[in-house]
Amino acid sequence: DADVTQTPRNRITKTGKRIMLECSQTKGHDRMYWYRQDPGLGLRLIYYSFDVKDINKGEISDGYSVSRQAQAKFSLSLESAIPNQTALYFCATSGSGRGTGELFFGEGSRLTVL
Amino acid sequence: TQLLEQSPQFLSIQEGENLTVYCNSSSVFSSLQWYRQEPGEGPVLLVTVVTGGEVKKLKRLTFQFGDARKDSSLHITAAQPGDTGLYLCASGTYKYIFGTGTRLKVLA
């Protein structure tokens, strides 16, 4: 099984619908991240969390919310999806300690908003 | 906010050729990571460079960190089709910012 698991892997939805993307990890890491990937724009940070009680906004948090239900679980919600939120979403984790840590990514969740 | 610019954006070469891709920053890097992403997968770390002037080698891949820690390069010698992918640089202490990526295609 993958160390970082994302569900669903693919989702097609309609404008205005609420969507939740889930991420779970077995690496025992404290830090978890949600990124969005669009062609030509690389990966952009949406939210990050350093522990269950710590949630921080990233570069592009508008229109998104997150929940850290447990050390191993970090979910991303789109309360009312819009077409420009169509993208590939990645969850990542990293260990604590000095900041040259490696990011471990899930396989991604492809979201299409019609 | 630190910006990471990568060049070229796209690169298509024949097997056996050499290539270099670049990552430049608007400010000094704390450290710099290079990742490779293959289709349908998440990025995977290749290397981390920390010290200005540092050079690291990973088989046919050579990573260099600029003396002023504001730029980095990735050189691939004798590229192979298996090197095809999206190469991303990233920097940060606790919050990692990524570059726009270089999409490499190596033709057999």
Side-chain angles (χ1 to χ4, degrees):
Chain A
D1 289 341
D3 291 327
V4 182
T5 303
Q6 294 182 229
T7 56
R9 294 292 312 281
N10 289 284
R11 182 72 183 268
I12 299 173
T13 191
K14 294 182 179 180
T15 297
K17 293 292 187 181
R18 183 178 187 274
I19 294 296
M20 179 180 286
L21 305 180
E22 299 185 338
C23 177
S24 63
Q25 53 115 346
T26 58
K27 297 194 73 67
H29 287 164
D30 289 327
R31 297 175 182 174
M32 298 188 73
Y33 307 79
W34 275 104
Y35 284 91
R36 166 179 173 159
Q37 186 172 39
D38 298 276
L41 294 177
L43 288 161
R44 292 182 291 168
L45 183 61
I46 306 173
Y47 272 96
Y48 60 104
S49 169
F50 288 165
D51 64 40
V52 175
K53 297 181 180 179
D54 178 76
I55 302 289
N56 303 280
K57 292 183 177 180
E59 304 169 79
I60 54 164
S61 59
D62 287 349
Y64 302 95
S65 62
V66 291
S67 174
R68 186 80 182 266
Q69 301 95 324
Q71 186 207 33
K73 295 184 182 296
F74 192 36
S75 60
L76 176 71
S77 294
L78 288 68
E79 296 301 326
S80 180
I82 56 177
N84 76 1
Q85 291 177 313
T86 292
L88 184 56
Y89 292 86
F90 284 101
C91 174
T93 74
S94 72
S96 301
R98 294 187 62 82
T100 59
E102 177 178 359
L103 286 171
F104 294 86
F105 285 85
E107 293 181 312
S109 295
R110 185 169 296 280
L111 176 65
T112 302
V113 183
L114 302 176
Chain B
T1 303
Q2 185 175 34
L3 298 176
L4 303 185
E5 293 186 358
Q6 291 188 243
S7 61
Q9 188 174 0
F10 299 99
L11 192 55
S12 181
I13 62 171
Q14 293 292 325
E15 183 177 3
E17 293 183 3
N18 301 332
L19 67 115
T20 303
V21 299
Y22 302 91
C23 177
N24 295 285
S25 173
S26 56
S27 54
V28 174
F29 291 121
S30 52
S31 63
L32 194 286
Q33 298 176 329
W34 283 95
Y35 289 79
R36 180 168 64 206
Q37 182 181 10
E38 298 185 17
E41 300 181 7
V44 175
L45 181 69
L46 296 173
V47 77
T48 300
V49 287
V50 178
T51 306
E54 184 175 3
V55 177
K56 283 191 174 180
K57 292 190 175 183
L58 183 65
K59 297 183 180 179
R60 294 176 294 100
L61 278 60
T62 302
F63 303 86
Q64 189 157 3
F65 203 13
D67 290 340
R69 291 164 52 211
K70 294 184 70 174
D71 59 273
S72 181
S73 63
L74 159 58
H75 181 80
I76 301 179
T77 302
Q80 299 177 0
D83 296 326
T84 293
L86 179 66
Y87 289 81
L88 295 158
C89 62
S91 183
T93 303
Y94 305 107
K95 184 176 70 173
Y96 299 93
I97 304 300
F98 281 78
T100 50
T102 293
R103 190 167 297 280
L104 171 65
K105 186 171 185 178
V106 182
L107 304 171

